[in-house]
Amino acid sequence: MKRLTLLFILSLSLSMNFFYAKEITVSVGAGQHWKEKREAQFSVWLEGSDGNFIKTLYVTERASQRNWIMSPKEGRPESLPVWYHASKHESRKTKKRNDKDAQLDAITSATPKGGIIFNTEIEDKEYVIKAEFNTSFDYNDHYTKKNSGVNGQPSVIYSAKIPAGFNKENDEIKLSFEGCGSIDGSDGIVQSDVSKLTTATEIVKLITVKAVK
C-alpha cells in the first residue's frame, strides 16, 4: 500500500511538472556587425520579476570558459559583465564551481557564425529574459584601443518580460534594447547612456522568444 501511494505521488509530481513546463524557442538574428575581427560572444538568461538571477539559457563556450587568447588570469570580465555579475559565474578552468556553473555544460557551444535558434523549457510563470552581446576590437571615435583595450565598445543588453500563460502557439515576444555594460567589467550595472555607441547596436538584428505548442 505504501509503495502504491509513493508511486502515485511520484506520478502526480511528474505530471504537475510537465503541466507547468512550457517550451520556448529563442531566435537570435545576426546584425550587420555580428563580426568585427571575431564573431560576437553572448549569453541569454532568465531573471525573476524581482530581478534575481534564475538560470542561463545559452552562453558561448569561450565566454563560459573564459578561454581568451592572451588574456589575464581573470579572463575578460568586460566581455559580458552584466551576465558574469548576475550569474556569479566562475571559470570552468578554476577549482571553484558552483551549481550555476554546472548548468553551463549543456548550454554552451562554439560561437555561431551568424545567429542561432534554440529551444528550452521553462516553468509557466513570469520571467524577465535578458541577452548580452559583445564583439572585440569594435572601436569607434570614443572607444579606442587606448581607453578600452581589446574590448572596444562595451557589451549591449536586450530584455523583455515573459508573462505567465505565455504558452499559446505562435505567441511571440521581441526583446528590446536596454543599454550597455561596464567598459572594464567592474560591475554588472546596465548603463542607460548609449550615446557613444555606434556599430555595437548593430551586432544583432532581432531577438525573439516564441511559445512552442
Side-chain angles (χ1 to χ4, degrees), residues 115-129:
I116 191 171
I117 298 174
F118 66 91
N119 284 19
T120 187
E121 280 195 350
I122 62 176
E123 292 182 46
D124 189 7
K125 60 182 181 181
E126 184 175 306
Y127 293 102
V128 175
I129 183 169

Side-chain angles (χ1 to χ4, degrees), residues 6-63:
L6 181 60
L7 288 173
F8 173 78
I9 293 173
L10 179 60
S11 176
L12 181 61
S13 175
L14 290 172
S15 64
M16 287 179 68
N17 287 337
F18 178 79
F19 179 79
Y20 286 109
K22 55 186 176 184
E23 186 177 7
I24 59 171
T25 298
V26 180
S27 301
V28 176
Q32 184 178 353
H33 290 279
W34 179 264
K35 180 179 180 179
E36 293 299 317
K37 288 189 177 182
R38 297 182 182 276
E39 290 84 2
Q41 298 296 318
F42 67 98
S43 58
V44 183
W45 72 97
L46 291 179
E47 294 182 359
S49 56
D50 56 3
N52 288 327
F53 177 85
I54 294 178
K55 68 174 181 177
T56 302
L57 301 179
Y58 179 90
V59 63
T60 47
E61 187 172 33
R62 186 179 296 277

